[in-house]
Amino acid sequence: MGRYVPNTYNNRRFLRIIVRIILSAALAIAVLFVALFIGLKRYIAYNSDGTIRLDIPFLMEE
């Protein structure tokens, strides 16, 4: 029979799971942002006053 020693192991598994979920979500958002930036790069149009706009063909109204 094992002996009982209080507070020898502080279980932080729940905290590690939460931190991994947050880091995974942040990484997924960053990858999505970069992919959208690269994918929509050809639709960027610069106005004469220096502003930037997106001219996406499938979102434009006739």
Side-chain angles (χ1 to χ4, degrees), residues 9-32:
Y9 177 69
N10 189 4
N11 189 2
R12 293 188 178 153
R13 182 176 181 204
F14 181 72
L15 181 62
R16 284 185 301 204
I17 291 172
I18 297 298
V19 168
R20 284 183 185 167
I21 289 173
I22 291 171
L23 288 176
S24 298
L27 181 64
I29 289 171
V31 167
L32 180 66

Side-chain angles (χ1 to χ4, degrees), residues 1 4-5 9 12-13 18 26 29 38 46 54-55 58:
M1 187 162 143
Y4 174 73
V5 181
Y9 177 69
R12 293 188 178 153
R13 182 176 181 204
I18 297 298
I29 289 171
I38 292 171
Y46 297 96
L54 281 175
D55 287 333
F58 54 86

Side-chain angles (χ1 to χ4, degrees), residues 45-59:
Y46 297 96
N47 293 334
S48 60
D49 58 352
T51 58
I52 300 172
R53 66 178 181 176
L54 281 175
D55 287 333
I56 302 173
F58 54 86
L59 292 179

Side-chain angles (χ1 to χ4, degrees), residues 32-46:
L32 180 66
F33 178 75
V34 169
L36 282 174
F37 181 76
I38 292 171
L40 295 176
K41 199 175 198 181
R42 61 182 150 192
Y43 299 118
I44 293 176
Y46 297 96

